[in-house]
Amino acid sequence: MHLTDSTFTQGRVVLDGNKFLRCHFRDTTLVFSARASVSLTDCDFERVTWALEGPAARTLAFLHGVYHGAGDGGRHVIEHAFDNIRKE
């Protein structure tokens, strides 16, 4: 679904499978499960909570395990991934 210039207040907003353009999120929980792609372009966020569920939560748990359980090599892999994310 394509949503443009929409305002979301309170409650949960499922991000998966949606494209948000110039939307405003206030006092909401933004839920990402990694079951479909999502696009957030020129959106504003005010007092939001981000929630990862399903495959997204499992991916984060996996990355946590690599970082803390695979020694310096695991830490290097995760730090390198975050360095790439920080690049414009």
Side-chain angles (χ1 to χ4, degrees), residues 1 5 9 22 32 42 47 50 54 56 58 60 68-70 77:
M1 180 181 301
D5 298 317
T9 58
R22 295 185 312 271
F32 180 63
D42 295 327
R47 295 183 309 273
W50 297 85
R58 287 191 294 278
L60 186 60
H68 291 286
V77 167

Side-chain angles (χ1 to χ4, degrees), residues 8-13 26-31 49:
F8 301 89
T9 58
Q10 301 180 338
R12 292 168 49 98
V13 178
R26 184 181 46 207
D27 299 316
T28 56
T29 298
L30 303 177
V31 181
T49 301

Side-chain angles (χ1 to χ4, degrees), residues 33-49:
S33 300
R35 297 184 195 285
S37 61
V38 62
S39 174
L40 297 160
T41 305
D42 295 327
C43 294
D44 295 318
F45 306 93
E46 184 180 348
R47 295 183 309 273
V48 300
T49 301

